Amino acid sequence: IGIPAPAIIKMATINAAKNLGIDKEVGTVAVGKKAHLILVKGNPTKNIADLYRVTRTIKGNLVIKTQELRAGMGITPWN
């Protein structure tokens, strides 16, 4: 049936940061680490496809709404 969604998310976050040697800076949500996050509609630990349903992107102190980001780039949403 494949790899469970929580394991895939862990591979893409903390495991990737560890493999790159940057896990002290990124990879998990913790005090002192860089805040690079996406907010999604749904629960990607139950349905990995929910990762396509991004509503906001957060990079440091900057919060960007997905619709504004797409509009600024001239991208028309497909869903």
Side-chain angles (χ1 to χ4, degrees):
I1 303 238
I3 303 169
I8 292 170
I9 294 167
K10 189 174 179 180
M11 284 184 231
T13 56
I14 186 59
N15 290 356
K18 283 180 181 178
N19 287 330
L20 293 170
I22 57 173
D23 55 303
K24 301 286 188 235
E25 301 170 42
V26 298
T28 58
V29 177
V31 173
K33 288 193 174 184
K34 294 179 182 175
H36 299 223
L37 307 168
I38 58 170
L39 303 181
V40 299
K41 283 186 181 180
N43 182 350
T45 65
K46 301 291 183 199
N47 180 6
I48 198 72
D50 285 344
L51 286 175
Y52 286 108
R53 301 178 70 202
V54 177
T55 61
R56 306 245 185 318
T57 299
I58 302 169
K59 185 172 181 180
N61 293 329
L62 183 62
V63 179
I64 307 164
K65 292 181 181 177
T66 299
Q67 64 192 49
E68 293 172 2
L69 182 61
R70 286 182 180 149
M73 296 174 68
I75 299 172
T76 304
W78 58 89
N79 55 0

